[in-house]
Structures are given as structure tokens and as C-alpha cells.
Amino acid sequence: MEDSFNVALEPSECRQPPLSSERPRTLLCHDMMGGYLDDKFIQGAAVHNPYCFYHWQSIDIFVYFSHHTVTIPPVGWTNAAHRHGVCVLGTFITEWKEGGRLCEAFLAGDERSYQAVADQLVLIAQFFRFDGWLINIENSLSLAAVGNMPHFLRYLTARLHEQVPRGLVLWYDSVVSSGQLKWQDELNQHNRVFFDSCDGFFTNYNWREEHLERMLGQAGQRRADVYVGVDVFARGKVVGGQFDTYKSLELIRKHGFSAALFAPGWVYECLEKKDFFQNQDKFWALLERYLPTHSICSLPFVTSFCLGMGTRRVRYGQEEAEGPWYHPSAQEIQPLFAEHRLEGAGRGWVKTHCCLADAWNGGSSLLVRGLIPREQDHVAVRLFSLQVPVPPQIFLSLVYKLEGASNVGVALELTTGDAGSCHVGSISTLNETSSRHSPRPLRVPPTKLARWVHRCSQQLRGGWVQRCYKVNLRDCLLRDLFVSFARPPGSREEESFVCRLGEVQVVDAKSLLAPLPRVQAVTVSHVRWQRATPEEEGSPARLRLGCTLHWSYLLSPIRCFRIHCCVGTGGGALGGGPSGPEQPALLGLAFVNQYRIVDLVVAAAGPSGDGRVEFLVEPVPKEGFLVPRAEWGRAALLYSMPRTDGAL
């Protein structure tokens, strides 16, 4: 039950092309200062300037690396990666003399020992809902141990494939078939036996182009299963690292191999923290041409562009709390960050950035800057690549805010595949030969969708505007989502603009008609009381409460749960003021059916009365609408002073 806090919310989202395709892939190996930093706080933390990764559409596999023997990825990373269709691997590493002794213990004997280790690794991945393992043996092996290593890899790979959908086992280029620790910087006859026993091979970093040329024969039809290592720190004799990493990627892609980027957190560790977002965008922009993206292929598709961090917390345009926060599980689907320049002599362009300065929901928004040249009526930028078989009717929503005095028109655009058979109804087509469409706004929403569309076409808090659209389609595949900016009527001058995007939704209309399940069976356990510290003392006396909430709810239709409390006898969340029964205090977010309350300050019960704390569990649907408080889950905890008269 304690470990279940670390279980990922859901398996990886559907994606195209699948990881099993022969297209070269991109692996990111996250190694930062020993690992388990701010990301270890699974219910979030108040952290200034944390590391944040958001170029998910450009990678296929995420490896969480540390020097612990068994490295389980923190659940926040797994949730964020899976939301983007990215596979997540933990690390199994042995090092130095201690690692050698461990390997001898489970590899040098009979098959029962190495099968027991493999079975446990499979169970760990299955329970915590990540996708597999990078195996990194950084110590020499005896002949008996190295002889069993291929058997161990084959057994682990087969068992993982049975128990974990799309499971993956990769081998790192370290030990060779003789048992020596001898990095090869390539796949060759000395390590080929390990490649043949698992799903892929991650090379060491000091390779040259001649290594890649030699590997073509060794890899054969499995070229995409060879992940050529690139140390972004540029340690050793590497082709290119740091902001020259693209030089390595150019050669790797030239020969058709996959790439493994080791420690791209270099931009955070070694450069100025205040310039982190600028440097991260620069790093990934330099690699963009060598990083094929993947598409998401399921509905509902909903994002507020939240990075899972912020300098304040905002909900639907209204500030909820000030102060820094970091919660990787709260990161929502991120777009294709790019700069788009119009072809020809015109100067039109559009560029996207993440921005913490303002938000519609969460801690950040997507900032879009651009210029509409005189000779163009509009400019557009692609935000998302999708491959979604579209139901007969979908609803789309865009929340945005224009900065300054700009009066450009803002609209969603979509492209559809299978244009020969795709029938588009109820929207206008841009031209006869294009399958790119501009939906018409939904002006009179159906009554049953009132919760979803109650903000449509209204001026919202903080200057935000929401536009809703209805689209009727038949036999279509939704390919891309664009945002378009059109010059105001009558204007022929250059139009510069700054626009914040707060949310994009694509929702199956039928799903909005289905009833939302209720939170059931909220219970309180592991209750712990402490006296308040002297600085928290006052009148009435105060206590600190710790407890665990559990509830029952199907996780698939929700984004998260928001946990609130109402303190009947005064008190409130630690660091906050009193909160009356009619004003619940937000405690935090949960991504599983439980939440740990820590040091909640409450008033001590008086000698003649009970104290009361009520906990409320608010489900947040993927479609983003507000669930009325009457439909939240709730549990009340009553408490009283201990008896002092000796009675039992």
C-alpha cells in the first residue's frame, strides 16, 4: 500500500508510429547529479527553478539513470512521459568490486538465481507501470557469469514482453563476451551476443564515423535497435556535444541508427539557471531536423500547456496560491516547439515558447509571437501532430489571450488524412485542394454539454477568451492541429502579435454525454497527531494532523484529483490562514486513489466538544469541466481530547 503512491497513472498513450517500427528512434538518458532530486517528492514540492523537460514529441524512450543498483523512475517522470506516448525505462547497474560480487552471486550459479533476479525486475516494472530496463554492467565478469549473461537477458526480455505491453530491455556497451570491462564504442563481434539477446544496444560515446560504418554489417535489419550514445557534456573524444550535439546526430542519422542522448540536462547543470528555458529551447532547436516526431492517436486530447511547475498556481484564470511549486505528474501534453517562417520574400514568422508569467490552468501557458507580413492575410503554426480516427462529431475548444493592443483574429485549424474518402460537414474548407479546415464557432451549445461549454465565447477571468467549435466528419483521420492568426479586417500593414494559449481540447461529442462516475468509499487511515510547534501555538490550542486518504474511482477518465479540507473548529493548511466550512482549502493534487496529509494544522478539541475535519476529493475530468461539489467524495474525521478522569 505504501509503494502504491509511486504507481504511474496509466500506461503509455497510443502513438504513431509505434516504437516497434523500423524508423530510427531517439532515446533520452536522464542523468542529473546522482538522481532522485526534487523529482522524488511524489506529491510535489515548493521548489524554485527546478529542472523541467518538455520536448517530449521529439523523443521515443526516456531512461532514468542513477548509480543505485535498481533505479526505479520517479512516478512523475513516468506519468509525464506516458502522457506523450514515450516509453520509460529504469536502470539496473552494477559497478566496482561490490557490483562484481553481486553479479557473481546471481550469474555464476544455475539458472534459478538469474531467473529470480529477472522475475523481480519484471514485477517491479509491472507494478510501478514503467516499461523496462537499461542493463549496465560496469564491472568485469568471470567466465561462468558472462556465459550466463545472454541467458539472463533472453529470459528477462521474454518475461517482460509477456507481462508489460511494449516492454523493452536494452544493453549498454560495457562488458564484452570474454567478461572484460572494455567499452567498444560500437556493436561488434565482441558484444554482439548481448545485442542478440535483448531489444537493443546502447553504445559508449567515443565513436567516430568509421565505427558507424562498421556497425552497418553487424546490425543488419536491426539498425534502429542500435542506439548510438552521445554524451551531451562532451566528455572524452566525442564528435559533438553541448550546443554542438547536432554534429553527432547528423552522422548517426546519416547511417540510419537510433540515437541515445546522455545527460541533456547539461543545459540546466552547467549554464545559468535564469536562462534555462532559453538555453533548453536553443539546444533542442539545433537538433530538430534530426529528431523525427511521433503522433498521439487517442481522444480526448486536452492540454493547458502546464509544465508541472510554476511561480503560482492558477485555476481557470483565477490565482489559487502564490509561491513556487513543482509536480512533474501535473505536466500536461506539450506542443511541437518551433519557429515557422513563411517561404518567399515575405518576413512573416511565428514562434512558440513556454511561459511561466501567466497561465489559464496550472502554472504556465504557451506564448506565441509572430508577424503577419503585408502580402499575407494570416500566418499559422502547427502545435500538435495527431493520428486520431475521428468519431462522427467532435468538439474543439481554444482558450487564448492577446497581449497589448493587437486585434488579430485567432482560430484553430485542423488537417485531416484520407482526404479521398474523408467527408467534412458543418465547416468551411480553406480551398478546394486542401484538407486543412477552419471550424465554425459553436454558438448555441447543446444543453447536455453545458458543463463543458459554459465559458464559450465569453470574456473570462484575466482577459482570457474561449472559443468552441463543432465539427461533423465521416471516415476521417485527424492529422494536425494548428493555431492561425489573421490580420484585422481592413488592415494592410505588417501586424505583429503576442498571444498566450491557455488550453486546447479535442473531444468526442459522445463522451461528453456519458455520466461521470462518482468518487466512492473515501476512508482515513494512518492517523497521527502531534502538538503544534510554539510559533504555531495560539488560541485556541493547535495540533498537527497526519493521515492517509484512500478512495475508489476509475482512473481512466480523469486528469487528476484535487484534495481539499474544511476544518470545522478553525485552522487550515500549514502556512495558510483559517478556512471556514464553506471555503475548502486546497491541499494538493493526487494522481492515484490516495493522498498523504502531512502536518495539517487544526485546532485542538475543547474539553466539552469534538473537533472536526472534512476531506474532499474532487475529480478533474480529462475534458476539464468543473464537477459540482455535491459530486465530490468526502470523509469527516471527528476527534476529541483524551479523557483525564481515568475512565476507559
Side-chain angles (χ1 to χ4, degrees):
M1 290 303 295
E2 295 300 324
D3 280 343
S4 59
F5 277 101
N6 292 287
V7 174
L9 179 62
E10 56 191 343
S12 182
E13 285 286 350
C14 168
R15 52 163 285 166
Q16 287 292 339
L19 200 61
S20 57
S21 73
E22 295 183 1
R23 187 184 78 170
R25 309 171 197 116
T26 304
L27 179 153
L28 186 156
C29 191
H30 177 66
D31 175 29
M32 181 172 287
M33 297 180 280
Y36 299 114
L37 305 173
D38 300 324
D39 51 13
K40 69 186 175 187
F41 299 108
I42 58 177
Q43 291 186 171
V47 179
H48 290 274
N49 303 318
Y51 175 70
C52 176
F53 177 73
Y54 45 89
H55 290 84
W56 291 105
Q57 306 297 343
S58 298
I59 71 168
D60 303 290
I61 301 167
F62 177 89
V63 178
Y64 194 86
F65 184 89
S66 82
H67 291 275
H68 298 277
T69 303
V70 177
T71 296
I72 299 172
V75 65
W77 283 108
T78 305
N79 281 334
H82 281 182
R83 205 165 281 136
H84 293 84
V86 171
C87 172
V88 179
L89 305 185
T91 305
F92 179 74
I93 185 171
T94 62
E95 302 176 276
W96 313 109
K97 290 183 178 179
E98 182 181 349
R101 286 193 292 268
L102 178 62
C103 287
E104 294 304 310
F106 83 92
L107 283 171
D110 61 26
E111 66 180 15
R112 289 175 297 176
S113 294
Y114 68 72
Q115 288 182 359
V117 172
D119 288 338
Q120 289 301 318
L121 291 176
V122 171
L123 283 172
I124 290 170
Q126 185 181 19
F127 179 81
F128 292 109
R129 293 186 183 171
F130 62 95
D131 305 297
W133 297 97
L134 171 67
I135 307 298
N136 186 4
I137 307 299
E138 297 274 0
N139 48 260
S140 59
L141 299 174
S142 68
L143 288 176
V146 77
N148 273 334
M149 181 60 79
H151 301 299
F152 166 69
L153 289 174
R154 279 193 289 270
Y155 181 82
L156 171 63
T157 303
R159 292 283 292 138
L160 188 77
H161 290 176
E162 290 172 6
Q163 301 299 323
V164 178
R166 299 180 292 277
L168 204 61
V169 176
L170 304 183
W171 172 264
Y172 179 68
D173 168 20
S174 50
V175 170
V176 294
S177 56
S178 66
Q180 290 179 283
L181 177 61
K182 195 172 183 181
W183 298 274
Q184 300 294 292
D185 303 304
E186 64 177 319
L187 173 67
N188 59 28
Q189 69 274 18
H190 301 297
N191 51 36
R192 173 68 186 264
V193 64
F194 308 119
F195 175 60
D196 291 339
S197 303
C198 65
D199 295 309
F201 185 89
F202 182 148
T203 79
N204 195 46
Y205 310 106
N206 297 307
W207 49 268
R208 289 288 183 268
E209 187 168 12
E210 53 264 31
H211 292 85
L212 304 182
E213 291 168 348
R214 286 197 297 265
M215 283 198 296
L216 292 173
Q218 290 287 340
Q221 298 299 310
R222 294 184 62 195
R223 205 179 303 182
D225 293 335
V226 177
Y227 299 82
V228 181
V230 180
D231 182 0
V232 176
F233 275 74
R235 292 163 289 203
K237 297 179 180 180
V238 301
V239 172
Q242 302 181 8
F243 285 127
D244 288 334
T245 297
Y246 70 92
K247 295 178 181 178
S248 295
L249 266 290
E250 183 178 21
L251 287 180
I252 293 168
R253 299 309 195 206
K254 173 184 173 182
H255 295 282
F257 293 110
S258 293
L261 300 174
F262 184 78
W266 166 81
V267 297
Y268 179 83
E269 289 191 55
C270 297
L271 305 179
E272 290 286 343
K273 299 289 189 296
K274 64 182 177 64
D275 300 325
F276 166 64
F277 289 105
Q278 177 183 342
N279 288 325
Q280 172 132 295
D281 290 345
K282 175 183 176 181
F283 176 84
W284 289 94
L286 289 167
L287 304 183
E288 182 181 355
R289 62 182 295 189
Y290 307 111
L291 301 178
T293 60
H294 61 271
S295 303
I296 295 172
C297 56
S298 60
L299 294 181
F301 177 85
V302 180
T303 181
S304 66
F305 305 99
C306 178
L307 293 170
M309 59 175 287
T311 57
R312 58 189 183 130
R313 195 184 292 275
V314 179
R315 191 180 197 205
Y316 302 133
Q318 182 173 0
E319 183 175 288
E320 278 192 315
E322 292 186 24
W325 64 277
Y326 174 62
H327 199 323
S329 285
Q331 186 182 96
E332 301 211 343
I333 297 175
Q334 297 300 306
L336 297 163
F337 291 93
E339 179 173 1
H340 173 64
R341 293 189 174 273
L342 298 183
E343 297 179 359
R347 299 194 305 120
W349 56 273
V350 190
K351 191 169 184 179
T352 57
H353 314 262
C354 52
C355 181
L356 302 178
D358 201 355
W360 164 248
N361 195 36
S364 56
S365 56
L366 185 69
L367 190 66
V368 187
R369 302 177 184 271
L371 178 74
I372 307 173
R374 291 187 180 91
E375 60 272 18
Q376 296 286 337
D377 291 328
H378 78 284
V379 293
V381 63
R382 186 174 68 142
L383 296 179
F384 298 102
S385 172
L386 308 172
Q387 283 205 37
V388 181
V390 184
Q393 188 175 86
I394 58 174
F395 288 94
L396 296 89
S397 167
L398 172 67
V399 177
Y400 69 92
K401 176 165 63 173
L402 287 167
E403 300 285 317
S406 177
N407 196 31
V408 299
V410 184
L412 277 180
E413 294 185 353
L414 56 89
T415 64
T416 56
D418 303 326
S421 61
C422 174
H423 174 74
V424 180
S426 300
I427 68 172
S428 54
T429 305
L430 290 178
N431 60 61
E432 292 182 1
T433 60
S434 172
S435 56
R436 181 159 150 182
H437 315 285
S438 296
R440 285 204 298 261
L442 178 67
R443 301 192 182 279
V444 184
T447 304
K448 290 184 178 180
L449 304 177
R451 283 187 186 175
W452 186 76
V453 297
H454 75 282
R455 297 184 299 256
C456 290
S457 300
Q458 297 182 23
Q459 190 74 23
L460 307 173
R461 291 190 185 102
W464 296 93
V465 175
Q466 182 171 18
R467 299 283 183 239
C468 303
Y469 308 89
K470 180 173 72 173
V471 185
N472 293 317
L473 300 159
R474 189 172 69 243
D475 300 327
C476 296
L477 192 68
L478 183 59
R479 290 281 194 188
D480 302 286
L481 277 178
F482 291 77
V483 62
S484 173
F485 301 90
R487 67 170 60 256
S491 168
R492 298 312 307 169
E493 298 301 314
E494 284 187 346
E495 291 282 345
S496 62
F497 60 87
V498 178
C499 180
R500 295 185 188 279
L501 301 185
E503 187 175 71
V504 171
Q505 295 194 32
V506 183
V507 180
D508 181 354
K510 187 177 180 181
S511 73
L512 289 175
L513 303 179
L516 191 70
R518 292 197 176 213
V519 177
Q520 305 277 347
V522 183
T523 61
V524 183
S525 62
H526 302 108
V527 178
R528 179 173 179 266
W529 296 97
Q530 287 181 299
R531 294 188 183 278
T533 58
E535 58 269 21
E536 294 163 346
E537 286 289 357
S539 181
R542 292 179 176 268
L543 301 170
R544 286 172 172 257
L545 169 63
C547 61
T548 301
L549 304 181
H550 295 267
W551 58 90
S552 175
Y553 196 89
L554 183 66
L555 293 177
S556 58
I558 64 114
R559 279 167 145 170
C560 66
F561 302 95
R562 290 162 50 87
I563 313 303
H564 310 262
C565 75
C566 293
V567 184
T569 55
L574 185 60
S579 174
E582 299 305 317
Q583 186 63 42
L586 177 67
L587 299 179
L589 305 180
F591 293 84
V592 289
N593 287 334
Q594 56 185 346
Y595 186 83
R596 180 67 189 171
I597 310 292
V598 180
D599 289 340
L600 179 68
V601 178
V602 300
S608 59
D610 291 338
R612 185 179 190 274
V613 181
E614 184 176 36
F615 296 108
L616 305 170
V617 180
E618 176 192 2
V620 180
K622 285 185 177 178
E623 294 85 358
F625 55 77
L626 289 169
V627 175
R629 195 187 304 181
E631 299 178 20
W632 300 359
R634 59 187 62 223
L637 179 66
L638 301 179
Y639 58 96
S640 59
M641 292 293 288
R643 298 288 296 269
T644 59
D645 57 5
L648 295 178

